[in-house]
Amino acid sequence: MGTDELFDLAVVKVDTKPGEAALPVAPLGNSGDLEVGDWVIAVGNPVGLDNTVTLGIVSSLNRSAAEVGIPEKRLQFIQTDAAINPGNSGGPLVNEFGEVVGINTAIRANAEGIGFAIPIDKAKGITAMLAAGKKLEHAYIGVQMVTMTPGIAKQNNENPNAPVFIAEVEGVLVVRIVPQSPAAAAGIRRFDIIQGIDGVKVRTAVQLQEIVDKAAVGQELTFTVARGDAPPMELKVRTADMGAVKSPGMDDMDDED
């Protein structure tokens, strides 16, 4: 009925034949009520083994798509140590009351006991639109970025072979601009450090991404930007619809710890 690639979600319709009993429906919980340490159960068909159930806990909440390793998505995930394997994707993650609180979707191939689920609150929020065949809009500005600290900037500036001087402040370093993007049109440049948006201090790439994700397409945002050793400046950036643009690296986040 409808899909959204950036949220990695789809709505499908299952018709029953006349006279058949109604299909059972799992009750939906509220992923917003989850806390780290809560018990959860992953249900699915891993590697073709039907009706498999695995038990674990919520290991973390609000894991960004970049941290998970899929920066092209626009999601924050539930992390769990309940075993999730190929074949679990699309299956429910349920709480101790049997309520669906997530949709199993990803694992880290280079680790064990680290799986991720899409919060059910995200799915509930867009189901009606996808079921109606409507297209979702996703705001973007068109930058690749990393979290920057004064210490990291200082190390760069003390290097005589460094290609550029970076302002020694906290914020988000722009490492790439997508051509013809909102950021490019606004005058944001590579090696700029974004320190704030609409008066709100920005300290990490994840935080910046969250602000852009919550903005409406076409909304004007005021960015506070530090460039080299010049005083901070303000630049107006008008968001655009990411779904209408096909370009790699848009708003990717490689967060520096």
Side-chain angles (χ1 to χ4, degrees):
M1 298 180 71
T3 63
D4 187 89
E5 292 185 5
L6 296 180
F7 282 159
D8 200 24
L9 291 170
V11 174
V12 298
K13 181 180 180 181
V14 180
D15 293 320
T16 57
K17 296 180 180 179
E20 286 185 338
L23 297 173
V25 178
L28 302 183
N30 296 306
S31 54
D33 293 337
L34 287 175
E35 296 182 357
V36 173
D38 284 351
W39 290 103
V40 287
I41 298 171
V43 183
N45 304 314
V47 295
L49 301 174
D50 292 348
N51 304 319
T52 297
V53 176
T54 57
L55 176 67
I57 63 170
V58 174
S59 305
S60 184
L61 297 167
N62 301 317
R63 285 291 189 200
S64 72
E67 291 176 304
V68 173
I70 45 176
E72 70 276 9
K73 303 301 180 183
R74 287 296 173 267
L75 288 164
Q76 291 184 325
F77 294 92
I78 302 166
Q79 181 180 327
T80 178
D81 67 351
I84 294 176
N85 294 285
N88 275 113
S89 295
L93 185 74
V94 303
N95 61 18
E96 58 186 309
F97 305 109
E99 300 170 330
V100 179
V101 292
I103 302 172
N104 303 322
T105 189
I107 59 173
R108 286 298 293 263
N110 60 345
E112 294 183 6
I114 301 180
F116 303 95
I118 300 170
I120 198 63
D121 290 355
K122 172 63 70 175
K124 289 191 294 186
I126 65 173
T127 296
M129 290 186 65
L130 292 181
K134 296 181 179 179
K135 176 181 174 296
L136 301 181
E137 292 186 330
H138 301 274
Y140 95 108
I141 61 170
V143 299
Q144 185 176 2
M145 55 197 174
V146 296
T147 299
M148 178 55 60
T149 66
I152 296 174
K154 185 177 181 180
Q155 289 179 4
N156 171 84
N157 297 337
E158 290 176 346
N159 182 353
N161 295 312
V164 67
F165 178 87
I166 298 176
E168 296 179 10
V169 296
E170 290 186 335
V172 177
L173 177 69
V174 177
V175 297
R176 178 175 175 265
I177 303 290
V178 176
Q180 300 179 335
S181 66
I188 293 178
R189 295 292 177 261
R190 186 184 183 192
F191 300 123
D192 282 353
I193 294 184
I194 300 170
Q195 294 185 280
I197 300 177
D198 287 346
V200 177
K201 291 183 178 180
V202 173
R203 292 294 177 261
T204 68
V206 171
Q207 182 188 4
L208 190 152
Q209 187 64 64
E210 290 175 353
I211 294 173
V212 173
D213 286 345
K214 292 177 181 178
V217 171
Q219 180 178 342
E220 186 178 81
L221 304 174
T222 301
F223 280 57
T224 302
V225 176
R227 180 176 297 167
D229 56 359
M233 68 183 80
E234 290 190 347
L235 298 174
K236 304 290 186 180
V237 183
R238 189 173 298 279
T239 65
D241 182 13
M242 186 176 178
V245 180
K246 296 296 182 181
S247 181
M250 293 183 300
D251 289 347
D252 287 355
M253 298 174 296
D254 296 310
D255 201 3
E256 296 282 345
D257 295 328

